[in-house]
Amino acid sequence: MTIDLTVEQFANKIDHTLLKADAQEAAFEKLCREARKYGFKMVAINSAPVTLCKKLLKGSPVHVGAAIGFPLGQTTIQTKVFETKEAIKNGADEIDYVINLSKLKDGDDKYIEEEMQTIVDICKKEDVLSKVILETCYLTDDEKKKVCEIAKEVQPDFVKTTTGFGSAGATADVKLMKEVVGDKVKVKAAGGIRDLKTAKDMLEAGADRLGMSSSVKVIEEYRAEQS
């Protein structure tokens, strides 16, 4: 598949990311300024700075996305529910939550389904997009397929490869995930996307959204390629 997108269309597939533990207000101001300038789809941040970024992006079409249960996923469903509801109350337009990997690896598929259904239902009720982070670097292909099969039934808006904080980032997992979810659910590739070639590879593999902190570098590379 050849990537046939305008610069604006390409930018609109990017979630401009800042998830560093020590990020200060000036860094979020820069993030939102860049997101406005280039027309990125979303700023991907932890839940604490949602209010700030919503204010900084007021009047623009750029979404604010909150990471929930981040980056380990090792909090209870109710904790993730509270965090999700608070993020939405504070202005989040999208929710990216990390599944409980321990429960998945223990074979507790019912827990994974309950967690996903609970969070997705909240998001749908509030007209907020939902993304399920698999953290594929820790999963077998069978486990990846299992989560995607559950997602195909629950129907979050996206399944997402990784947090970017695990042992590896976005890989060929995108193709595997897309093969399972088909047209029912979209795929977001995140983690390790630092150049245009990798970004294009992820889109060609079936990703509809790209999460990266190298967004400006990548979109400038694409602009130069198109000119």
Side-chain angles (χ1 to χ4, degrees), residues 200-211:
K200 289 169 77 172
D201 286 347
M202 295 299 101
L203 292 174
E204 287 172 357
D208 283 281
R209 195 83 72 87
L210 305 172

Side-chain angles (χ1 to χ4, degrees), residues 2-71:
T2 303
I3 302 303
D4 185 23
L5 299 169
T6 65
V7 174
E8 291 75 18
Q9 289 170 332
F10 195 101
N12 202 239
K13 289 185 176 291
I14 295 174
D15 289 352
H16 194 29
T17 305
L18 178 59
L19 293 162
K20 293 180 179 178
D22 61 348
Q24 296 175 272
E25 189 167 323
F28 291 109
E29 290 172 351
K30 180 173 181 285
L31 182 83
C32 292
R33 189 164 58 247
E34 290 171 343
R36 275 183 181 268
K37 177 181 176 179
Y38 290 97
F40 297 133
K41 183 65 178 181
M42 185 186 92
V43 291
I45 56 175
N46 285 298
S47 56
V50 165
T51 301
L52 170 64
C53 289
K54 190 69 175 181
K55 180 179 178 182
L56 291 169
L57 289 165
K58 185 177 180 180
S60 87
V62 181
H63 285 186
V64 175
I68 303 298
F70 203 84

Side-chain angles (χ1 to χ4, degrees), residues 9 16 18 25-26 37 59 61 63 68 70 89 106 119 126 131 159 166-170 178-179 206 214 219:
Q9 289 170 332
H16 194 29
L18 178 59
E25 189 167 323
K37 177 181 176 179
H63 285 186
I68 303 298
F70 203 84
K89 182 185 73 174
D106 282 337
I119 294 174
E126 299 295 335
K131 306 192 198 83
V159 284
S167 59
K178 189 61 181 175
E179 285 174 352
S214 301
I219 201 66

Side-chain angles (χ1 to χ4, degrees), residues 132-143:
V132 180
I133 306 174
L134 278 61
E135 200 69 310
T136 54
C137 52
Y138 298 125
L139 304 181
T140 65
D141 283 353
D142 284 345
E143 288 166 342

Side-chain angles (χ1 to χ4, degrees), residues 15-21 42 44-46 65-74 80 83 95-101 131-139 159-171 173-174 177 188-194 210-214:
D15 289 352
H16 194 29
T17 305
L18 178 59
L19 293 162
K20 293 180 179 178
M42 185 186 92
I45 56 175
N46 285 298
I68 303 298
F70 203 84
L72 302 178
Q74 294 302 306
K80 290 176 184 175
E83 195 178 358
I95 295 293
D96 293 36
Y97 90 91
V98 188
I99 66 167
N100 188 315
L101 290 164
K131 306 192 198 83
V132 180
I133 306 174
L134 278 61
E135 200 69 310
T136 54
C137 52
Y138 298 125
L139 304 181
V159 284
K160 177 178 167 183
T161 53
T162 66
T163 62
F165 285 75
S167 59
T171 64
D173 291 326
V174 169
M177 291 162 67
K188 174 178 172 179
I193 305 174
R194 300 186 180 92
L210 305 172
M212 65 180 94
S213 55
S214 301

Side-chain angles (χ1 to χ4, degrees), residues 116-126 154:
M116 193 185 300
Q117 190 73 66
T118 301
I119 294 174
V120 168
D121 283 349
I122 293 168
C123 291
K124 285 183 176 177
K125 182 180 178 183
E126 299 295 335
V154 175

